[in-house]
Amino acid sequence: MGKDKNSKSFEIALSGISCAIAVAVLPLGIMTGVGSLTAAGYSVAVLAIMLPLSKQFFKGAFLAYAATCILTIVLGAAAKFWDLVPFIIFFGLHPIANMLQLKFKINKWLALVVKALWFDATLIAGYYLVFHGLLGGSLLPAEIYEFVNKYIFLLIFTVGSVIFFVYDYLIFKVQIMVNRLVYKIKR
């Protein structure tokens, strides 16, 4: 019983640290309105959610993810809620899905296809929710935006899927590094 009690307290502590780190950066990244800072906030929050997963604390990771989403909204991201939606529907859950894939020994190719479709659906949702179904601006010539908007679904299902394959591979590698780091914290 003593070992189980320590394990539970370690799960709570690791999940709390995970949530605290994610909540410290995610609202700041979203509220700045700068795309690179939003991406940085997403990245650090994803890394934070990996902390409880390093010890196979799935419940703790999911609760840290849920609390991160709720607290990010409460701390001001409600004003830019649509910028948080991709994190809510994909990026925050993706590390949990990866570890569940490993735990239940789901075929990696099948899982990759399902996760790629999930990612593509997130990109489509982002296209409509964040960009209101129309990309445009002054950074690129209007012809490029016209081309992208005309072929958005083809681009998402090809380029988006290729980007996802690289992202998924890197997230697995980062999870291994996080696992090693947390292993050194508590032996």
Side-chain angles (χ1 to χ4, degrees), residues 6 10 15 21 55 59 63 74 89 94 96 110 144 151 154 170 172 181 183:
N6 287 336
F10 188 59
S15 301
I21 292 169
K55 291 293 188 180
K59 183 178 175 183
L63 291 173
V74 169
I89 62 177
H94 180 249
I96 299 169
L110 174 65
I144 293 176
Y151 297 105
L154 179 63
L170 292 174
F172 271 115
L181 176 70
Y183 176 76

Side-chain angles (χ1 to χ4, degrees), residues 13-36:
L14 207 52
S15 301
I17 291 168
S18 167
C19 182
I21 292 169
V23 170
V25 295
L26 193 56
L28 291 175
I30 290 172
M31 294 308 295
T32 60
V34 178
S36 58

Side-chain angles (χ1 to χ4, degrees), residues 74-149:
V74 169
L75 291 174
K80 297 190 139 222
F81 178 74
W82 300 122
D83 291 350
L84 182 63
V85 168
F87 181 83
I88 293 171
I89 62 177
F90 180 78
F91 292 100
L93 292 171
H94 180 249
I96 299 169
N98 280 351
M99 293 304 287
L100 287 171
Q101 171 193 340
L102 294 177
K103 180 180 180 180
F104 293 110
K105 296 178 175 77
I106 297 170
N107 181 294
K108 69 179 177 180
W109 299 110
L110 174 65
L112 190 64
V113 168
V114 169
K115 291 185 296 184
L117 290 172
W118 178 26
F119 180 74
D120 293 343
T122 302
L123 291 178
I124 291 168
Y127 175 69
Y128 284 110
L129 297 174
V130 176
F131 298 106
H132 310 291
L134 187 64
L135 293 173
S138 60
L139 292 175
L140 301 171
E143 298 82 29
I144 293 176
Y145 288 117
E146 184 180 320
F147 175 82
V148 169
N149 286 313

